[in-house]
């Protein structure tokens, strides 16, 4: 009993609420949540996706694909944001209501391993090109980068908000400057529209790429949206952020690829002579995603071990930093495979909250959870299989819909 009281005091002192509902006094308004969510969507890998879209689609079709893709992402993350704000719980704690207490460890473990892996890859994505260009010791740069990115996650939502408030306008202004310069060199908007795609891409494939670029990361939306002052703030900031942030990343990558053949905006900016802006954009872009990733990993491991998030963020950050170069060279394909496991987790949480429990979750301290809800496990496996086998339509959406249907139908059958 004393141990439980001490643990609750640690949680409240840290204001991370890794094992509890977020208290009203720590809820945040529109601006704070908007910059955090916008920073979350500023993801370097999305620019690479934008480059593929830019070289495979005419400009008009590019915008149609981005609009549809972002609409799907906004609906998915918006629903999760609503749940997070209404309950004040992280994605990992929400999973207890549907997966069961020990069943939620599956969701937390997969998420944590995936996020630690991408954290390491993100460090390498920054350190390798900068070290090569300026002849800096790669491993020293990896170490410094890992420490800085871990630090903002360690200090929680306050430092995530501060970093995002600095990084978001910097990335938007510098990235837009580079994109405008590239577009002007091609003859402006009309020149871009006249560029013929170097390859042919179907619209449904383009939408699948748009959705797939961030739907796995978007599954962690409740980890941040739970701090929103109310559901309206949570949903509006999340939806707007995904439309603006993702669209900008896709656009930066597309223009770069169409004009220069390179979708990495940092490389494009290097070629434009914008050396310092390139480092800032690359570093801040990865940082605002990486600190969110390692923050989520810490919450997930806390759900499993019941240890404070701060300690687990340090451990996670250390693992990701030490393995950064190796992860980047050997593990990216496996991380992509693991990514297909995350949307089914979000699908189950959405189905349980809206369709099974009818938006009524009891306080987490008062609920006696079952150990494992096997209906959730079966639904999770069904969604995962569909994501990897069915290649028709928008793959992630197929997986989520399958997961939700299996979970809702399975729950009704077992409850009879």
């Amino acid at each position: 009993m004393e141990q439980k009281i001490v643990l609750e005091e640690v949680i409240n002192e840290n204001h991370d609420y890794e094992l509890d509902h977020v208290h009203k006094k720590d809820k945040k308004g529109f601006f704070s949540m908007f910059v955090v969510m916008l920073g979350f969507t500023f993801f370097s890998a999305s620019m690479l996706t934008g480059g593929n879209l830019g070289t495979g689609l005419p400009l008009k079709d590019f915008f149609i694909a981005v609009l549809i893709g972002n609409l799907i992402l906004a609906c998915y993350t918006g629903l999760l944001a609503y749940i997070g704000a209404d309950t004040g719980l992280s994605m990992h704690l929400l999973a207890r209501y549907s997966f069961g207490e020990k069943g939620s460890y599956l969701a937390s473990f997969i998420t944590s391993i995936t996020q630690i892996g991408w954290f390491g890859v993100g460090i390498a994505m920054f350190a390798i090109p900068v070290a090569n260009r300026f002849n800096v010791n790669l491993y020293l740069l990896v170490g410094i980068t890992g420490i800085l990115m871990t630090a903002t996650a360690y200090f929680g939502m306050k430092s995530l908000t501060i970093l995002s408030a600095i990084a978001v306008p910097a990335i938007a202004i510098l990235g837009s400057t580079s994109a405008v310069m590239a577009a002007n060199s091609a003859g402006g908007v009309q020149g871009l529209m006249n560029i013929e795609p170097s390859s042919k891409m179907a619209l449904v494939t383009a939408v699948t790429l748009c959705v797939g670029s961030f739907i796995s990361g978007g599954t962690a939306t409740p980890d941040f949206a739970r701090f929103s002052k109310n559901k309206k703030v949570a949903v509006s900031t999340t939806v707007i952020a995904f439309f603006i942030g993702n669209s900008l990343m896709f656009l930066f990558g597309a223009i770069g690829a169409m004009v220069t053949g390179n979708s990495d905006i940092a490389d494009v900016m290097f070629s434009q002579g914008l050396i310092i802006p390139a480092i800032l954009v690359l570093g801040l872009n990865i940082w605002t995603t990486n600190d969110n990733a390692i923050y989520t990993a810490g919450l997930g491991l806390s759900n499993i071990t019941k240890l404070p998030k701060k300690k687990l963020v340090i451990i996670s950050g250390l693992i990701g930093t030490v393995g950064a170069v190796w992860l980047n060279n050997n593990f990216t394909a496996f991380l992509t495979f693991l990514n297909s496991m995350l949307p089914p987790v979000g699908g189950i949480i959405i189905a349980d909250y809206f369709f099974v429990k009818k938006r009524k979750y009891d306080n987490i301290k008062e609920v006696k959870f079952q150990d494992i809800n096997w209906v959730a496990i079966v639904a999770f496996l069904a969604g995962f299989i569909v994501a990897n086998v069915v290649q028709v339509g928008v793959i992630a959406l197929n997986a989520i819909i399958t997961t939700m249907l299996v979970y809702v139908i399975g729950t009704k059958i077992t409850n009879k």
Side-chain angles (χ1 to χ4, degrees):
M1 187 67 177
E2 286 183 10
Q3 188 178 10
K4 183 178 180 183
I5 293 170
V6 170
L7 181 59
E8 287 176 1
E9 287 176 353
V10 169
I11 292 166
N12 292 337
E13 182 184 342
N14 291 341
H15 303 295
D16 284 319
Y17 301 101
E18 54 263 63
L19 298 173
D20 198 2
H21 303 265
V22 175
H23 290 185
K24 191 173 182 179
K25 64 184 177 64
D26 286 316
K27 296 277 190 171
K28 302 178 184 298
F30 182 90
F31 176 77
S32 294
M33 292 309 305
F34 182 59
V35 294
V36 168
M37 296 310 297
L38 200 53
F40 186 38
T41 63
F42 277 17
F43 184 38
S44 290
S46 295
M47 289 190 288
L48 301 179
T49 301
N52 289 331
L53 299 177
T55 56
L57 295 169
L59 197 60
K60 179 183 175 182
D61 289 348
F62 166 82
F63 284 114
I64 293 173
V66 169
L67 178 64
I68 297 172
N70 280 341
L71 183 61
I72 294 170
L73 279 172
C75 289
Y76 176 68
T77 57
L79 289 170
L80 289 170
Y82 183 102
I83 300 170
D86 190 37
T87 61
L89 295 172
S90 69
M91 180 268 286
H92 310 280
L93 298 186
L94 288 168
R96 291 188 188 182
Y97 291 83
S98 47
F99 283 84
E101 177 143 10
K102 291 181 180 176
S104 71
Y105 298 170
L106 172 66
S108 291
F109 180 75
I110 293 169
T111 304
S112 298
I113 291 299
T114 306
Q115 297 308 304
I116 291 170
W118 284 122
F119 177 82
V121 171
I123 291 173
M125 285 174 65
F126 171 76
I128 291 173
V130 173
N132 290 340
R133 188 164 189 91
F134 297 98
N135 199 26
V136 179
N137 183 281
L138 172 60
Y139 295 99
L140 175 63
L141 189 56
V142 164
I144 294 171
T145 304
I147 290 170
L148 290 173
M149 292 182 178
T150 301
T152 46
Y154 174 84
F155 290 110
M157 278 296 290
K158 181 176 282 189
S159 60
L160 296 184
T161 305
I162 293 171
L163 174 65
S164 295
I166 296 169
V168 164
I171 295 169
I173 292 169
L174 296 174
S176 297
T177 300
S178 173
V180 169
M181 288 174 63
N184 287 339
S185 70
V189 175
Q190 189 58 49
L192 291 176
M193 294 187 72
N194 292 335
I195 295 176
E196 289 292 327
S198 57
S199 59
K200 186 69 175 175
M201 182 183 294
L203 188 61
V204 68
T205 303
V207 173
T208 294
L209 287 174
C210 288
V211 174
S213 69
F214 210 75
I215 197 160
S216 296
T219 304
T221 297
D223 292 351
F224 312 103
R226 65 196 173 116
F227 284 93
S228 299
K229 185 169 65 175
N230 53 48
K231 297 186 287 290
K232 183 178 179 181
V233 167
V235 175
S236 60
T237 54
T238 300
V239 170
I240 296 170
F242 266 88
F243 269 100
I244 295 177
N246 247 17
S247 297
L248 279 177
M249 293 301 102
F250 289 144
L251 190 61
F252 290 165
I255 292 176
M258 291 168 72
V259 177
T260 69
N262 194 336
S263 58
D264 190 324
I265 194 167
D267 287 339
V268 173
M269 294 173 80
F270 280 142
S271 69
Q272 294 170 328
L274 303 172
I275 308 300
I276 300 302
I279 295 172
L280 286 173
V281 167
L282 180 63
L284 291 173
N285 208 337
I286 292 172
W287 196 345
T288 55
T289 303
N290 257 16
D291 59 0
N292 285 279
I294 213 70
Y295 179 85
T296 292
L299 291 175
L301 294 176
S302 182
N303 179 46
I304 298 170
T305 64
K306 308 302 184 286
L307 294 171
K309 182 226 79 179
K310 284 190 173 184
K311 292 180 180 179
L312 296 168
V313 161
I314 293 174
I315 294 170
S316 301
L318 181 63
I319 294 170
T321 301
V322 170
V325 176
W326 180 83
L327 287 165
N328 185 66
N329 293 337
N330 301 286
F331 210 59
T332 306
F334 185 59
L335 288 172
T336 303
F337 171 73
L338 287 179
N339 266 356
S340 63
M341 295 183 177
L342 298 184
V345 173
I348 289 170
I349 290 172
I350 291 170
D352 185 70
Y353 178 82
F354 285 106
F355 301 112
V356 175
K357 306 289 175 44
K358 309 293 185 184
R359 295 187 294 170
K360 292 178 182 178
Y361 275 0
D362 294 328
N363 189 292
I364 197 165
K365 294 178 181 177
E366 300 169 358
V367 180
K368 182 168 177 55
F369 296 106
Q370 59 183 308
D371 279 345
I372 299 174
N373 180 6
W374 290 105
V375 173
I377 302 298
V378 171
F380 167 81
L381 291 173
F384 173 66
I385 291 168
V386 166
N388 287 279
V389 174
V390 179
Q391 300 298 311
V392 178
V394 181
I395 294 169
L397 190 59
N398 294 342
I400 292 168
I401 292 173
T402 299
T403 301
M404 293 176 68
L405 286 173
V406 172
Y407 183 78
V408 172
I409 294 170
T411 301
K412 287 186 176 181
I413 292 172
T414 56
N415 285 347
K416 281 185 177 179

